[in-house]
Amino acid sequence: MDWIDLRSDTVTQPTAAMREAMMAAAVGDDVYGEDPTVNALQERLASDLGFEAGLFVPSGTQSNLIGLMAHCQRGDEYIVGMDAHTYKFEGGGAAVLGSIQPQPIVQQADGTLPIDAVERAIKPIDPHFARSRLLCLENTWHGCVLPMDYLAQARALCDRRGLALHLDGARLYNAAVALGVAPREITQHFDSVSVCLSKGLGAPVGSVLLGTRALIDDARRWRKVTGGGMRQAGILAAAALYALDNNVARLADDHARATRLDEALRGLPGIDVVTQQTNMVFIDVPVARLPALREQMEAARVRLSIGYTPAIRLVTHMDVDDAGLDRAIAALRAFGSEG
Ligand SMILES: *Cc1c(COP(=O)(O)O)cnc(C)c1O
């Protein structure tokens, strides 16, 4: 019996058609800027999302890191959500490697950082303080789509107070599909954006950082310094281009399946559904029953993400079809029907 893997949308396998696109890719040495497929991907995303330039990198973690390092100097500060990926799930890289101080702010349940809390966190210009340079948002955050009017308010605050605005848009396309807007309607508010191709879009590897040409030139330097300069990376960029051409609209299917999963788990005595948005469902079970959950899901060959976030995360993606989802629902309902 195959595993139904609901841990993350990173687990997808490249399809046969995607592998064919990879095999056919024209390649060159991308450290010399000579990989035509990487260049095409960078230009395509820059043009789609409204930026001067883009940079293909191995991971979203590196994309965010070099973006932060391009915006901030040693002793500068970025303001960020307490549960944001760029603060909590990137090994402290901005501080460790960039000498950039994070100023975390408690996120609201919808993933926004209250505008007045951000404003109060901005430091006066005074040698006592790090220099506040950047606000970093995440969209989607834990599946939540940030409201469009909130993005405009964040932009206005950054303009008023002289901060740059970065988006960790690992799941930007999920947000755009959920809102029914073009992705650039979201990205228009930001100075830089990091997009993952290896999440719901289904490519095996890669993220792209977008910004002004000057910012991307700096980031390219930091990409090399942090070991992310790749050579014939067009093989990977071809998968990313294939994903952009074929796998964006279908994110709506993942969202519909997450909604179905949410509905199927509501009202059970043994499972508390915390939230569901886009392709994520978060559930709680009593701590004492976690070993039983692990055991029963293992027996049913269903994988969940337990322990990374306070609630248990279930993520729908390309490799979970209706039949797979039904199997996961049956296993979870069997567990949840006992209190
Ligand atoms: C996955 C993810 C990243 C980084 O991705 P990696 O490619 O795994 O380094 C960044 N931000 C968010 C919100 C993510 O979900």
Side-chain angles (χ1 to χ4, degrees):
M1 203 167 36
D2 287 344
W3 284 94
I4 308 299
D5 197 339
L6 298 172
R7 286 174 301 172
S8 177
D9 46 11
T10 56
V11 300
T12 55
Q13 294 280 324
T15 59
M18 182 180 275
R19 288 171 195 257
E20 264 172 44
M22 297 171 77
M23 203 134 70
V27 297
D29 190 325
D30 181 51
V31 171
Y32 293 115
E34 291 171 3
D35 189 300
T37 312
V38 170
N39 290 340
L41 172 65
Q42 291 171 168
E43 283 156 24
R44 153 100 190 254
L45 272 172
S47 133
D48 285 0
L49 302 182
F51 290 93
E52 285 175 13
L55 188 66
F56 186 51
V57 295
S59 71
T61 297
Q62 187 172 69
S63 182
N64 283 322
L65 172 66
I66 65 178
L68 290 170
M69 289 173 79
H71 280 292
C72 300
Q73 305 299 310
R74 180 175 188 219
D76 288 352
E77 169 183 274
Y78 72 112
I79 299 171
V80 62
M82 186 92 100
D83 286 306
H85 204 279
T86 46
Y87 175 60
K88 198 172 175 182
F89 296 96
E90 296 183 2
V96 174
L97 301 166
S99 300
I100 307 162
Q101 164 171 288
Q103 170 60 65
I105 303 274
V106 176
Q107 270 139 321
Q108 293 174 291
D110 67 356
T112 60
L113 311 181
I115 294 290
D116 68 311
V118 173
E119 186 144 28
R120 272 186 274 114
I122 298 171
K123 312 287 181 291
I125 296 168
D126 177 304
H128 288 89
F129 303 111
R131 292 165 298 212
S132 307
R133 288 277 191 231
L134 179 73
L135 173 60
C136 185
L137 300 179
E138 185 172 320
N139 196 14
T140 62
W141 172 78
H142 289 189
C144 295
V145 180
L146 300 187
M148 291 296 263
D149 62 341
Y150 173 78
L151 301 184
Q153 288 165 27
R155 177 75 260 172
L157 168 70
C158 289
D159 288 345
R160 194 162 71 240
R161 299 299 305 268
L163 299 184
L165 185 57
H166 173 76
L167 178 64
D168 177 358
R171 296 187 179 84
L172 167 70
Y173 286 88
N174 294 84
V177 165
L179 290 170
V181 303
R184 69 184 293 156
E185 289 192 43
I186 296 173
T187 55
Q188 63 173 334
H189 297 290
F190 294 87
D191 298 297
S192 56
V193 173
S194 168
V195 179
C196 286
L197 287 316
S198 59
K199 298 274 167 82
L201 296 180
V205 176
S207 287
V208 173
L209 179 71
L210 300 140
T212 60
R213 195 161 300 284
L215 185 97
I216 294 301
D217 284 346
D218 268 358
R220 183 178 294 105
R221 182 185 158 69
W222 289 125
R223 181 183 71 173
K224 189 76 183 111
V225 170
T226 52
M230 298 186 284
R231 302 295 178 173
Q232 285 71 35
I235 290 175
L236 302 174
L241 283 165
Y242 180 91
L244 290 169
D245 285 339
N246 295 282
N247 295 344
V248 173
R250 66 151 308 287
L251 292 172
D253 302 343
D254 298 341
H255 300 174
R257 290 196 180 100
T259 303
R260 190 152 78 77
L261 179 57
D262 171 19
E263 283 163 1
L265 300 182
R266 292 220 176 239
L268 297 172
I271 292 180
D272 182 21
V273 180
V274 183
T275 62
Q276 182 269 320
Q277 272 205 55
T278 61
N279 66 332
M280 296 190 188
V281 184
F282 287 87
I283 61 172
D284 258 344
V285 307
V287 176
R289 292 202 68 213
L290 282 177
L293 179 68
R294 282 204 176 87
E295 198 176 300
Q296 288 189 34
M297 292 306 114
E298 176 92 16
R301 297 183 81 75
V302 174
R303 289 199 171 106
L304 316 175
S305 179
I306 304 178
Y308 284 91
T309 46
I312 295 161
R313 190 179 78 165
L314 294 76
V315 187
T316 54
H317 52 77
M318 278 178 68
D319 290 2
V320 179
D321 60 10
D322 283 326
L325 190 72
D326 285 339
R327 240 180 70 202
I329 286 173
L332 284 159
R333 283 188 64 90
F335 171 85
S337 56
E338 298 159 38

